[in-house]
Amino acid sequence: HCISSAASDVYKRQELFYHNALIPAADPLVSHNMRTYTKLPKQDFPIIFHGIEGENIRESTSPSWFNIAEIEQVWYYIQDLVNNHNIPSSDIAIITPYHKQVMKITQLLRNSSNNNKYHDIAIGSCEKMQGQERRVIIISTVRSSPEFLNEDIYYNIGFVANPKRFNVAITRAKALLIIVGNPHVLGRDKHWGSMLRYCIDNGGYTGCPAPVSYTHLTLPTICSV
């Protein structure tokens, strides 16, 4: 599948998955057409890592999690892309690992006064987006509390410490990748930490102050994944 030029660079640099054997082959007319997006922290680097220190919330009627601060930031980018940059909603997808976050974002778009503008935006998990690509991918990672990470690993949910989901999520974008998440939580995982450091080093980070150093997440011994 096609990988955005910036995302392919992080793979080659970190040798995370493809041992430097991945060769970008995307049409530059597609892969380079968001390099001047006005909200990029650094022009010509089409990745945004937007740090958000939100709150994990779980309703009494559901075991799934959502994060209001991340929803608000995702909504900001959607409105800007569609209304100010004329990006068709069919060119945008939102990836998030928790069903409740999917539901909350879907409800927000449907209840918007201009919901007809957003009805073609795809919203779902990594598994739903497997094999699909969009011009713009927005990732909402949700997790903001480290104490729940081992639970996620044990029950095989979420993004953190799941290399396969990480790999799928960051390779769906054709031209622009936007990651919304807590850098202090994501930086604990070696893959997300590498992505975070890559964005910081290349001027693609914005939002809350990033961590100075990272402590990689230690998997619990009871985990078999």
Side-chain angles (χ1 to χ4, degrees):
H1 48 71
C2 170
I3 297 177
S4 74
S5 56
S8 67
D9 288 342
V10 70
Y11 275 141
K12 289 189 291 181
R13 177 182 171 189
Q14 301 293 347
E15 300 182 1
L16 293 179
F17 295 97
Y18 302 115
H19 309 291
N20 275 343
L22 187 67
I23 300 174
D27 182 350
L29 293 177
V30 176
S31 64
H32 287 47
N33 65 25
M34 296 298 294
R35 284 178 171 260
T36 58
Y37 175 48
T38 58
K39 295 302 184 291
L40 290 176
K42 182 180 179 182
Q43 295 291 291
D44 207 40
F45 184 76
I47 301 178
I48 301 172
F49 197 120
H50 197 119
I52 294 283
E53 294 184 274
E55 180 184 1
N56 301 296
I57 301 174
R58 191 157 54 178
E59 297 173 339
S60 59
T61 56
S62 171
S64 189
W65 297 92
F66 63 100
N67 187 314
I68 293 175
E70 289 192 17
I71 292 172
E72 291 174 345
Q73 191 60 55
V74 168
W75 177 228
Y76 168 82
Y77 281 118
I78 290 171
Q79 292 181 94
D80 184 65
L81 288 162
V82 174
N83 299 328
N84 299 332
H85 294 82
N86 298 315
I87 305 298
S89 62
S90 58
D91 284 358
I92 302 172
I94 302 165
I95 301 177
T96 187
Y98 298 99
H99 180 63
K100 183 58 72 171
Q101 189 82 340
V102 171
M103 291 178 62
K104 293 289 186 181
I105 295 174
T106 300
Q107 184 179 26
L108 175 64
L109 298 184
R110 287 177 178 171
N111 291 342
S112 167
S113 58
N114 293 316
N115 59 20
N116 60 309
K117 287 187 175 183
Y118 312 117
H119 70 277
D120 287 330
I121 295 176
I123 309 171
S125 64
C126 283
E127 286 74 13
K128 180 178 178 179
M129 290 301 298
Q130 180 80 48
Q132 298 187 52
E133 296 168 347
R134 295 286 174 117
R135 182 178 172 189
V136 178
I137 293 292
I138 303 174
I139 300 173
S140 173
T141 60
V142 179
R143 268 288 173 251
S144 276
S145 299
E147 63 264 29
F148 296 112
L149 294 179
N150 283 348
E151 176 185 312
D152 285 358
I153 297 165
Y154 182 70
Y155 290 106
N156 194 28
I157 57 177
F159 279 144
V160 186
N162 191 309
K164 179 182 251 185
R165 290 197 184 107
F166 167 84
N167 186 17
V168 171
I170 72 164
T171 57
R172 301 304 95 196
K174 292 183 178 181
L176 174 64
L177 175 64
I178 301 173
I179 300 168
V180 178
N182 189 326
H184 302 278
V185 173
L186 297 175
R188 291 167 172 258
D189 173 68
K190 69 176 182 179
H191 299 104
W192 283 106
S194 295
M195 188 68 178
L196 174 59
R197 174 54 59 191
Y198 179 72
C199 292
I200 293 172
D201 290 348
N202 286 275
Y205 183 85
T206 189
C208 69
V212 176
S213 62
Y214 313 126
T215 301
H216 289 164
L217 180 67
T218 301
L219 303 185
T221 56
I222 57 175
C223 180
S224 62
V225 295

